[in-house]
Amino acid sequence: MGKKRDIKQIEAITRLFRMDEIQHSEQLQKVLLPGIFQHLTQSLVGETCTQVHFSHGDELCLDFGPLSPCEHPQLTHLKRGTWGLCTRATPWKLYGDRQLLLDSDAPQTDREIAQAKGFSRDTLQGKTLLNLTLDPETLETSLSFSENHALILYPDLWDEDELQHWVLLMPSAQVLAIGPGYRWACRSVHDRA
């Protein structure tokens, strides 16, 4: 009962503070985001990354928690976790023991890209998420995993493509969308944007 009330409060706050509805919203977005981010993601910490895949070519997607078939009738052959983090137009780096293992911008050829995707799967799948942080100034997002692995997302705040940096699908049927720029929103998957 309390979680539903919290989600409704967060939805109300995000409706009030959408970037196009207020002046000086970039600074307000930076102020509000850390608390809301921490509140929304605290249950994700401790979950296991059960699936690593790539959508739209090279966009990294991580599923956490038990996998189940997608609900959409045309996608039932696909499985997704109870949580899903998908990058969009966002470079990322994979670290092991604080050493750079993979930079998403480095692979150039089809073969290098395929190898990088396989390496990402092998490295992150089955690891437990230990910590998740977001820097409100840069929107750099850090995911720390078991066995001293880390994934860091580096959003380009000035990208002109107007794509979200990343989205987090939650078990509550909510979606936290970060970007473009400093914009962010949290809404139900059933809402039309």
Side-chain angles (χ1 to χ4, degrees):
M1 180 86 169
K3 280 195 174 213
K4 286 184 180 179
R5 185 187 58 191
D6 289 345
I7 290 169
K8 291 202 180 288
Q9 287 175 341
I10 290 168
E11 286 176 337
I13 290 168
T14 58
R15 278 194 296 276
L16 286 173
F17 297 113
R18 290 221 172 106
M19 189 162 196
D20 56 5
E21 296 175 357
I22 59 174
Q23 294 180 355
H24 310 295
S25 61
E26 183 177 300
Q27 188 59 37
L28 189 56
Q29 295 281 5
K30 290 179 190 178
V31 169
L32 291 175
L33 183 58
I36 289 175
F37 176 79
Q38 200 276 330
H39 178 79
L40 290 173
T41 61
Q42 63 189 357
S43 297
L44 175 56
V45 174
E47 291 285 343
T48 299
C49 180
T50 49
Q51 180 173 250
V52 177
H53 60 99
F54 294 82
S55 68
H56 306 291
D58 300 332
E59 294 176 350
L60 176 66
C61 297
L62 307 176
D63 287 299
F64 295 88
L67 297 175
S68 58
C70 291
E71 293 179 10
H72 190 281
Q74 295 176 339
L75 301 176
T76 55
H77 63 286
L78 299 175
K79 297 199 182 261
R80 57 176 281 220
T82 52
W83 294 84
L85 176 74
C86 293
T87 65
R88 311 280 313 270
T90 298
W92 49 269
K93 293 181 182 177
L94 184 57
Y95 293 87
D97 293 319
R98 298 185 181 162
Q99 299 293 318
L100 179 64
L101 301 176
L102 179 62
D103 180 338
S104 66
D105 287 336
Q108 299 297 317
T109 67
D110 289 343
R111 183 175 183 203
E112 289 173 337
I113 291 169
Q115 288 173 334
K117 288 179 179 181
F119 182 76
S120 301
R121 279 187 206 98
D122 294 345
T123 303
L124 294 175
Q125 207 158 288
K127 304 296 186 293
T128 301
L129 183 65
L130 303 177
N131 196 22
L132 178 63
T133 61
L134 181 137
D135 181 319
E137 291 298 320
T138 63
L139 297 184
E140 181 179 295
T141 308
S142 299
L143 295 89
S144 299
F145 290 90
S146 56
E147 299 181 25
N148 293 318
H149 287 95
L151 175 69
I152 302 178
L153 311 179
Y154 297 94
D156 181 352
L157 300 175
W158 298 275
D159 187 5
E160 296 178 8
D161 288 337
E162 289 296 307
L163 293 174
Q164 297 162 332
H165 305 307
W166 56 262
V167 297
L168 177 66
L169 301 144
M170 298 176 269
S172 61
Q174 298 292 111
V175 178
L176 174 63
I178 304 295
Y182 285 102
R183 287 179 272 181
W184 58 269
C186 181
R187 60 176 58 102
S188 169
V189 295
H190 306 292
D191 288 349
R192 295 195 180 260

